[in-house]
Amino acid sequence: TMASYIFNGAPEKVSKDQRFVGKQACLAAQYQVGWKKFQMMCAQYGRKLDDEVCKLAISKYREKRDKIVSTWAAFNNAAKEAIRNTGHVIPVGPVAFVCGKLTTAGFHALQVKLPSGHKLTYPLAKLETVVKKFDNGPAEIEEIQFWGPHPTKSFWAWQSTFGARLCENLTQSVGGDFMTHGLLEAERRGYCAFATIHDQALVEQDEGLTPDGLREALCVLPPWAKGFPLEATAEATPFYTKD
C-alpha cells in the first residue's frame, strides 16, 4: 500500500523493487530519517537506490503518515518546554512531560507519564546547542540530551534524543504495558509464562489450557486503554518459532 502511494500506482501493480522501497519506508521513515540516511539503510540490504527515489520515498511517507510527523513535533516541543519550565506538566494527548528533581533518586530528570501511570525517565535532561548534519547541510539546533547507557558500549554517557526517538520509546513502553497486563491476566487464569521475547510470550501448555484461552487473556484491556484495538495470535508448538 505504501509503495503504491509512493509510486502513484495501483497496489496490485506494484513491482518487487517498488515493494522493497515501500517496505523500507514503513520500517525506517517512522524514525524521522532523511533521504540520505534512508539510502544508506537500503544499501545495507544490497539495494543501491537513486537519490530521487529516496527523496520521493521520504516525502511521500511523511505526506501519507502526517499524524506520525505531527507527533514527532509535539513530543519534541513538549520535552523541551518541560526542561525549560521545571515542575510544569506539559500534556500531549494521553501522555504528560514534566522535568524536576526526583525525590527518591535525588537527581534532576525529565519524566514522561504514560496512560498506565508508568513513567519513563531521562536522567539529568538538558538542552544544548549543537551543530547537526542534515540532508541540506549542517545546521545549529537546540538538542535534548540526557545521561544514559551508551547504545553500543557498556558505560553511561551523554545521549541525545528527539521527537521520533521519544515517539519510539513511548510506543515501545505502552506495548510493554499491554504485555505486562495481559500476562498478569493470563497468570490469574492459570497460565504460567516462562519467557517473553519482545511482543511474544512463551507458556507451557498444561492440561486444560488452550492457545485460544491465552490469546483471550492477553487481549483483556487494562482500564486505561478502553476501546483500544488490541489483538494477538496464539498456537501450540513443540519448539520456539518466530511468528
Side-chain angles (χ1 to χ4, degrees):
T1 301
M2 181 58 69
S4 69
Y5 188 80
I6 291 171
F7 296 103
N8 194 30
E12 62 273 14
K13 293 186 177 181
V14 167
S15 69
K16 186 176 180 180
D17 288 340
Q18 289 175 334
R19 183 184 183 280
F20 172 82
V21 175
K23 181 177 179 179
Q24 295 310 310
C26 288
L27 292 173
Q30 62 181 311
Y31 300 117
Q32 207 172 344
V33 299
W35 71 265
K36 290 183 179 179
K37 181 68 172 178
F38 179 75
Q39 190 175 53
M40 291 171 58
M41 296 173 78
C42 290
Q44 292 176 352
Y45 290 93
R47 302 291 187 93
K48 182 175 174 56
L49 300 183
D50 293 340
D51 293 357
E52 293 308 313
V53 170
C54 295
K55 291 176 183 178
L56 178 66
I58 294 300
S59 173
K60 286 290 189 176
Y61 175 88
R62 294 183 179 184
E63 180 179 277
K64 180 74 170 174
R65 300 283 183 257
D66 58 306
K67 290 183 179 179
I68 291 178
V69 174
S70 63
T71 301
W72 296 339
F75 283 174
N76 195 62
N77 294 337
K80 289 182 177 181
E81 187 176 349
I83 293 171
R84 292 192 195 98
N85 299 280
T86 300
H88 287 236
V89 177
I90 315 298
V92 182
V95 303
F97 293 73
V98 65
C99 197
K101 186 175 181 180
L102 305 183
T103 54
T104 50
F107 57 79
H108 180 85
L110 170 68
Q111 287 196 310
V112 189
K113 186 177 181 180
L114 303 179
S116 64
H118 173 197
K119 294 178 181 177
L120 286 184
T121 300
Y122 298 85
L124 309 181
K126 62 179 182 177
L127 299 177
E128 289 288 336
T129 300
V130 299
V131 175
K132 287 281 190 179
K133 291 182 179 179
F134 296 99
D135 288 344
N136 56 355
E140 190 176 86
I141 65 165
E142 186 178 50
E143 181 179 74
I144 302 167
Q145 296 184 356
F146 66 96
W147 188 249
H150 193 282
T152 60
K153 299 178 181 177
S154 58
F155 58 79
W156 281 43
W158 286 109
Q159 308 298 320
S160 64
T161 192
F162 52 95
R165 189 167 292 164
L166 290 167
C167 189
E168 178 193 6
N169 293 166
L170 300 182
T171 301
Q172 296 282 13
S173 297
V174 170
D177 289 340
F178 276 122
M179 177 64 87
T180 299
H181 182 271
L183 288 173
L184 289 172
E185 178 62 31
E187 189 175 84
R188 282 190 284 270
R189 300 184 184 193
Y191 295 86
C192 184
F194 61 86
T196 59
I197 296 125
H198 303 298
D199 59 351
Q200 289 183 292
L202 307 185
V203 179
E204 289 188 354
Q205 189 176 13
D206 295 327
E207 187 176 351
L209 302 179
T210 65
D212 278 345
L214 175 62
R215 184 193 61 77
E216 290 173 6
L218 291 175
C219 292
V220 172
L221 290 176
W224 48 268
K226 186 177 181 180
F228 191 90
L230 183 64
E231 189 52 88
T233 59
E235 64 176 320
T237 175
F239 49 84
Y240 170 72
T241 60
K242 178 63 179 172
D243 186 7

